[in-house]
Amino acid sequence: MVDALKKLPATPSLMELKPKVGEKIQLESRSPSGRFTTRLVGYKEGGSLMVTASASSGREPVLTEGQRLTARLLCGNHIAAFSTRILKVHHTPFAYWHLEYPQQLEVRRIRQHTRVPVNLKVSMDEYEEGTILTGVWPCSGFCTDLSLQGACVEVSAPLGKVGDKLYLTVRVTVADIDQVILAPVMIRNLVQTEGTPASVYRHGVEFLELDEDTRLILASFVYQQFLVETGHIDDLE
């Protein structure tokens, strides 16, 4: 996902990013190894960050004061990562931690053409009946990555030539709700992969003239998968 992120010209401070109270923060420890999700309670520049204590699931190691951690949090359309440690563990009036205020941040911006890896079954059909003479329509394939602008579709035979238009149908799940995307696309590139037992043709397709509802579903799904890939929400499978 490194190529899907773009560093800012000048790294802002945490105060400049203005993270919201209640924002999820992913914490990761190397020794003992573990990953935790907490929420931001508050922060003071140069002081500390207050976060809710992660509830142990029985598999998670218990973190103690002085524990070194890597933190990641979402601030608007930016993701900030930094090193920190637990300064103080409190149990009353609720369980929370004081984390060391970050001296340096690595901040990256989510770009509009961020691609997320997926493994979705798709159906491809002619844009207009009879415009593509080869193949039997509709045909099935697999979508291996997806962005707001297009997708990569793999099938066992070419769907057409560069510049041809098709219809792509794919079922996605957004917030546990099944949605169907029916989108007109144009083939922008076509490559036959090598080193596989059977021929696989990889098509790069661009979305064309999506209606507002489809754009909203697509954006929600891509953003959701991006957060899964970067560890900000749990895997939804």
Side-chain angles (χ1 to χ4, degrees), residues 27-145:
L27 299 175
E28 188 171 351
S29 64
R30 292 187 177 181
S31 180
S33 178
R35 180 181 291 181
F36 312 85
T37 299
T38 64
R39 290 188 181 273
L40 181 65
V41 177
Y43 58 94
K44 181 179 180 181
E45 187 172 17
S48 66
L49 280 75
M50 288 177 58
V51 301
T52 58
S54 174
S56 176
S57 65
R59 300 186 301 272
E60 299 174 350
V62 177
L63 299 186
T64 58
E65 293 178 4
Q67 183 80 47
R68 301 296 309 185
L69 303 166
T70 299
R72 296 180 181 85
L73 75 155
L74 192 68
C75 303
N77 65 335
H78 298 91
I79 287 181
F82 56 91
S83 295
T84 185
R85 64 188 175 94
I86 299 178
L87 298 177
K88 191 71 176 176
V89 175
H90 290 273
H91 300 286
T92 57
F94 59 92
Y96 67 96
W97 300 332
H98 278 281
L99 301 182
E100 184 179 47
Y101 193 85
Q103 300 300 312
Q104 186 174 1
L105 300 178
E106 179 183 352
V107 181
R108 298 180 183 270
R109 179 168 61 87
I110 305 171
R111 300 191 302 188
Q112 188 181 24
H113 55 274
T114 294
R115 286 187 175 271
V116 293
V118 295
N119 184 24
L120 299 171
K121 187 175 181 180
V122 298
S123 175
M124 307 297 296
D125 205 350
E126 294 175 289
Y127 187 78
E128 294 179 352
E129 187 176 354
T131 55
I132 301 178
L133 301 179
T134 60
V136 178
W137 305 100
C139 69
S140 298
F142 285 93
C143 178
T144 58
D145 68 51

Side-chain angles (χ1 to χ4, degrees), residues 95-215:
Y96 67 96
W97 300 332
H98 278 281
L99 301 182
E100 184 179 47
Y101 193 85
Q103 300 300 312
Q104 186 174 1
L105 300 178
E106 179 183 352
V107 181
R108 298 180 183 270
R109 179 168 61 87
I110 305 171
R111 300 191 302 188
Q112 188 181 24
H113 55 274
T114 294
R115 286 187 175 271
V116 293
V118 295
N119 184 24
L120 299 171
K121 187 175 181 180
V122 298
S123 175
M124 307 297 296
D125 205 350
E126 294 175 289
Y127 187 78
E128 294 179 352
E129 187 176 354
T131 55
I132 301 178
L133 301 179
T134 60
V136 178
W137 305 100
C139 69
S140 298
F142 285 93
C143 178
T144 58
D145 68 51
L146 193 64
S147 75
L148 301 183
Q149 281 71 42
C152 179
V153 177
E154 295 185 351
V155 294
S156 59
L159 295 173
K161 61 183 184 299
V162 173
D164 282 343
K165 294 181 180 180
L166 299 163
Y167 269 110
L168 176 151
T169 304
V170 59
R171 185 180 298 274
V172 299
T173 301
V174 179
D176 296 324
I177 301 174
D178 286 341
Q179 304 279 0
V180 175
I181 294 174
L182 174 61
V185 299
M186 178 179 289
I187 300 175
R188 289 302 188 185
N189 58 71
L190 173 59
V191 177
Q192 183 179 7
T193 60
E194 299 178 355
T196 55
S199 295
V200 174
Y201 292 83
R202 184 172 296 155
H203 301 72
V205 300
E206 177 187 4
F207 294 124
L208 302 174
E209 301 174 352
L210 300 181
D211 59 56
E212 186 175 346
D213 288 343
T214 300
R215 289 200 309 269

